Amino acid sequence: MLTSETIALGTAMAGNRVLIIEDDDGTAGELGRILEGAGIGSDRAASLDEGLARAADEAYGLILLDRMLPGGDGLDIIPQLRGDGHGTAVMVLSALGRTVNRVEGLDRGADDYLAKPFEPEELIARARAMLRRVAAQPGADLVTLGDIEIHLKARTVHRRGRHVALSPKEFKLMKFFADHPGEVLTRMMLLERVWNLRFDPQTNVVDVHVGRLRKKLEAAGEPPVIRTERGTGYIFEPSA
Amino acid sequence: MLTSETIALGTAMAGNRVLIIEDDDGTAGELGRILEGAGIGSDRAASLDEGLARAADEAYGLILLDRMLPGGDGLDIIPQLRGDGHGTAVMVLSALGRTVNRVEGLDRGADDYLAKPFEPEELIARARAMLRRVAAQPGADLVTLGDIEIHLKARTVHRRGRHVALSPKEFKLMKFFADHPGEVLTRMMLLERVWNLRFDPQTNVVDVHVGRLRKKLEAAGEPPVIRTERGTGYIFEPSA
DNA sequence: CCCCTCCATGACATCATTTGTCATGCCCTT
DNA sequence: AAGGGCATGACAAATGATGTCATGGAGGGG
């Protein structure tokens, strides 16, 4: 048996990081520095496509979106940014600062609209307000991994829309897998974190429950999502 | 046996109405008209105290808050507005429009800050954006009646912060009571709506379950909330 | 290529929970 | 004081969750 590492991963809830979608290097850098000075972490995407990719990847709390980008108007991707399920907020930053522009931005889905140039303090204050609101949401509710949806509060699981009824133990197991996608999880880890055991019960409880979970997750002929790593443990691999 | 009225009561989710807290009659009226023109319903409170009272009463989606009011600065009541549990958003409207003022407002809890004078279109767009975000929340989740909280998704009940573990049937019963506070519910109604029976099973199932629910709701010495209406049925009376 | 280890799975036992029934006794009302 | 209505403890049946075990199969190392 391997050592029982305890790796704490974050859930897929809307986080407190910010994604900056901005083609101009200078502006992007400045935004990043302003936020960093306020203790707000950020990543940067230089194009709309990259922005969409990053947003789909990590659950940001807020996205700062430029309007005039090489790929088109930032407003165009707001619907897709929304579609990711995380309750991410979108703030548009733009040199187009007239009222009609602002109204257009807000009507097309932005949560806030700040005209350039702006005071760094106001950006920080508005970003904080947005992150605060996002964090206050019961937002940690839905976790999506591939075609699997986990409703934490309701403690239900759906795969491709089909409801998968799980027992409490199975749900806990599912959640632990979901918290560690792509990682090999040894039986010891599972026993510790799902069964709260710090010793080996000398039985195959884990195997049996993994089997039951598999059966239920694949009951309608869906592809497998839990792979056996022979001699080691199991890996949860959500199908993209 | 009485007729089984089905009175649909609203849940405590944040709604789509707007509360205007503004002492100046002219401004308040204009705000109301602007919103009405955009199809957004609103109520008005003329003072901070009235605002707090109304906010506690109805679950607004958005509150428009003036700063300079007779009772003090509107910013002062933001924490209390937040405390109501509904995810209501707060937008501050103020003649104090300098960056420092805006930053102050946002830092003290406002979700948005619009300086007077403003374009009606921008107010509408921002109000819509706020309501949209509030509505996107899993808001219908929490129902509060007096000291009892019902989390619909999680299917859990708390009284005065204490978790009350209920069986499925008990939860359904609790929910039905919560949907009809202050109304006399006959055994027949309960059998119909909680047990899905259209006939009398000739047993005291209802009594037994009401008893069990009572026991659990009052397990820590809390005052009774379900009163027996002798010869008729039961009444759920949440303690204020 | 064969064997041995590891794993998957059906069957079963046990335990806990939920739900409904009944009998008893209290309490309120008249 | 008596009667009907209600509260409640005890019990039983049904259901579901969890863990154990035995068997057979699959896959990798030698």
Side-chain angles (χ1 to χ4, degrees):
Chain A
M1 212 58 60
L2 296 182
T3 68
S4 61
E5 305 170 63
T6 301
I7 302 175
L9 279 190
T11 64
M13 63 179 288
N16 52 0
R17 282 182 75 78
V18 174
L19 175 64
I20 301 167
I21 304 181
E22 164 70 65
D23 64 320
D24 184 76
D25 288 340
T27 309
E30 192 188 332
L31 288 173
R33 279 191 298 278
I34 291 173
L35 293 174
E36 192 184 349
I40 303 172
S42 64
D43 297 326
R44 186 242 176 154
S47 70
L48 293 182
D49 286 343
E50 189 189 346
L52 283 171
R54 282 183 173 274
D57 201 30
E58 186 172 346
Y60 291 95
L62 172 65
I63 294 175
L64 295 185
L65 185 60
D66 192 19
R67 284 200 64 167
M68 291 174 294
L69 291 165
D73 189 336
L75 297 185
D76 295 334
I77 66 169
I78 292 182
Q80 296 162 70
L81 291 174
R82 291 256 176 269
D84 284 342
H86 329 301
T88 307
V90 176
M91 188 189 303
V92 173
L93 300 180
S94 172
L96 303 173
R98 289 186 308 166
T99 298
V100 283
N101 303 131
R102 293 212 289 268
V103 169
E104 185 192 8
L106 294 164
D107 278 350
R108 289 179 59 186
D111 292 298
D112 201 349
Y113 194 108
L114 193 53
K116 301 179 193 173
F118 48 79
E119 304 280 343
E121 293 78 23
E122 181 160 11
L123 172 66
I124 292 170
R126 287 190 177 272
R128 280 214 181 105
M130 282 293 159
L131 289 173
R132 189 200 310 141
R133 169 147 284 271
V134 168
Q137 281 181 200
D141 196 36
L142 178 65
V143 178
T144 304
L145 290 117
D147 54 7
I148 296 178
E149 290 184 357
I150 304 178
H151 295 79
L152 297 176
K153 279 186 164 173
R155 301 189 79 77
T156 61
V157 172
H158 293 254
R159 184 163 191 198
R160 300 190 179 171
R162 179 177 63 88
H163 177 239
V164 181
L166 299 181
S167 77
K169 188 74 65 179
E170 287 160 2
F171 183 81
K172 200 170 178 185
L173 182 60
M174 175 78 255
K175 194 148 74 74
F176 189 59
F177 272 123
D179 281 342
H180 302 272
E183 290 178 53
V184 179
L185 302 177
T186 67
R187 288 176 178 70
M188 246 350 260
M189 293 183 199
L190 294 168
L191 285 169
E192 275 197 33
R193 303 287 297 268
V194 179
W195 277 263
N196 294 316
L197 293 181
R198 316 203 110 270
F199 57 92
D200 190 333
Q202 308 289 346
T203 72
N204 67 340
V205 215
V206 175
D207 302 49
V208 170
H209 273 84
V210 169
R212 286 172 184 164
L213 181 55
R214 274 176 172 156
K215 197 176 190 175
K216 292 186 176 181
L217 286 176
E218 301 159 14
E222 297 97 334
V225 276
I226 300 173
R227 193 158 54 75
T228 303
E229 196 72 357
R230 195 182 172 82
T232 318
Y234 297 95
I235 306 184
F236 175 60
E237 292 179 321
S239 45
Chain B
M1 209 60 58
L2 297 182
T3 69
S4 64
E5 304 171 65
T6 300
I7 301 177
L9 284 188
T11 63
M13 65 179 290
N16 52 359
R17 282 183 73 79
V18 174
L19 176 63
I20 301 167
I21 304 181
E22 164 70 67
D23 64 320
D24 183 75
D25 288 338
T27 308
E30 193 188 330
L31 288 173
R33 279 191 297 277
I34 292 174
L35 293 174
E36 192 185 350
I40 303 172
S42 65
D43 296 326
R44 186 242 178 153
S47 70
L48 293 182
D49 286 342
E50 190 190 344
L52 283 171
R54 281 183 172 274
D57 202 28
E58 185 171 346
Y60 292 96
L62 171 65
I63 294 176
L64 296 184
L65 186 58
D66 191 22
R67 284 200 63 167
M68 291 175 294
L69 291 165
D73 189 336
L75 297 186
D76 295 334
I77 66 168
I78 292 183
Q80 295 161 72
L81 291 174
R82 291 258 176 267
D84 283 341
H86 330 301
T88 307
V90 176
M91 187 189 305
V92 173
L93 300 180
S94 173
L96 304 174
R98 290 186 309 168
T99 298
V100 282
N101 304 130
R102 292 211 289 266
V103 169
E104 185 192 9
L106 293 164
D107 279 349
R108 288 178 60 187
D111 292 298
D112 200 349
Y113 194 108
L114 193 54
K116 299 181 195 174
F118 49 79
E119 304 281 343
E121 293 76 25
E122 181 159 11
L123 172 65
I124 292 170
R126 287 190 177 273
R128 281 215 181 105
M130 282 294 160
L131 289 174
R132 189 198 311 141
R133 168 147 286 272
V134 168
Q137 286 179 193
D141 196 37
L142 179 65
V143 177
T144 305
L145 289 116
D147 54 7
I148 295 178
E149 290 183 358
I150 304 178
H151 294 79
L152 297 176
K153 278 186 166 173
R155 300 188 77 78
T156 60
V157 172
H158 295 254
R159 183 161 192 199
R160 301 191 178 171
R162 179 177 63 88
H163 176 239
V164 181
L166 299 182
S167 78
K169 187 76 63 178
E170 287 160 2
F171 183 81
K172 200 170 178 186
L173 182 60
M174 175 78 254
K175 196 147 73 75
F176 189 59
F177 272 123
D179 281 341
H180 301 272
E183 291 176 55
V184 179
L185 302 177
T186 67
R187 288 175 179 71
M188 251 342 267
M189 294 184 200
L190 294 169
L191 285 169
E192 277 196 31
R193 304 290 298 268
V194 179
W195 276 263
N196 295 316
L197 294 181
R198 315 203 109 270
F199 57 92
D200 190 333
Q202 308 289 345
T203 68
N204 67 341
V205 215
V206 175
D207 303 47
V208 171
H209 273 84
V210 169
R212 285 172 183 163
L213 182 55
R214 273 176 172 155
K215 195 174 187 177
K216 291 186 176 182
L217 285 176
E218 301 160 14
E222 298 96 335
V225 275
I226 300 174
R227 193 157 53 76
T228 303
E229 197 71 357
R230 195 181 171 84
T232 316
Y234 298 94
I235 305 184
F236 175 59
E237 291 180 321
S239 44

